[in-house]
Amino acid sequence: MSTTQVPQRTSPVRSSAPAAADSFAASIGLTVLRVVLGVTFLLHGWQKFTEWTLAGTQAAFAQMGVPAAELAAPVVAVLELVGGLMLLLGLGTRVVAALLALVMLGALVLVHLPAGFFVADGGIELVLLLAAASALFALAGAGRWSLDHVVAAKRRAAARA
């Protein structure tokens, strides 16, 4: 008795469809996360200007032991406000996200680490999540639905012309 092997047939359409679907789903996921992260930072920056005021933010930073609180508070407030807007739009995403990740890591180490994990106790939970999400965009970029993508496409078109 002999065994006959039947060749496996693969369809290029079938094999690329999951990749295309994954790419589309990834684009949606990146966009949703980028928008939520951008709004979160934007509102935290806005809060530092309007609700707490810069003087109040400086005092709070000094009380928490943040070095150079008089300088750090306005820098962080501007970075969160403007950086949040830029993330929301997906503009300058890698640079802005890297800066925001560094700020969140600083907050984690300088302020929140001694309080443990949970945000209700003043712990690292929120700043860790914000740092990780920011790091994602620093490494991966803004994604397909962003101004960064539009700018890159225009640059590629200009380079070809």
Side-chain angles (χ1 to χ4, degrees), residues 17-111:
D22 289 348
S23 175
F24 183 75
S27 292
I28 291 171
L30 280 173
T31 301
V32 168
L33 182 58
R34 183 175 45 78
V35 166
V36 169
L37 187 65
V39 167
T40 300
F41 276 119
L42 188 145
L43 292 177
H44 276 260
W46 181 257
Q47 182 183 45
K48 286 174 177 65
F49 280 105
T50 61
E51 186 179 328
W52 297 347
T53 74
L54 278 182
T57 303
Q58 289 169 322
F61 275 30
Q63 184 180 8
M64 290 183 268
V66 175
E70 296 77 24
L71 176 63
V75 167
V76 168
V78 168
L79 180 59
E80 288 180 348
L81 181 71
V82 175
L85 179 61
M86 290 178 73
L87 281 179
L88 184 63
L89 299 171
L91 182 62
T93 303
R94 287 180 189 266
V95 172
V96 167
L99 293 171
L100 288 167
L102 289 173
V103 166
M104 291 300 101
L105 289 175
L108 187 148
V109 171
L110 294 172
V111 178

Side-chain angles (χ1 to χ4, degrees), residues 104-127:
M104 291 300 101
L105 289 175
L108 187 148
V109 171
L110 294 172
V111 178
H112 297 278
L113 192 59
F117 183 77
F118 296 104
V119 72
D121 300 326
I124 65 169
E125 182 177 18
L126 178 61
V127 294

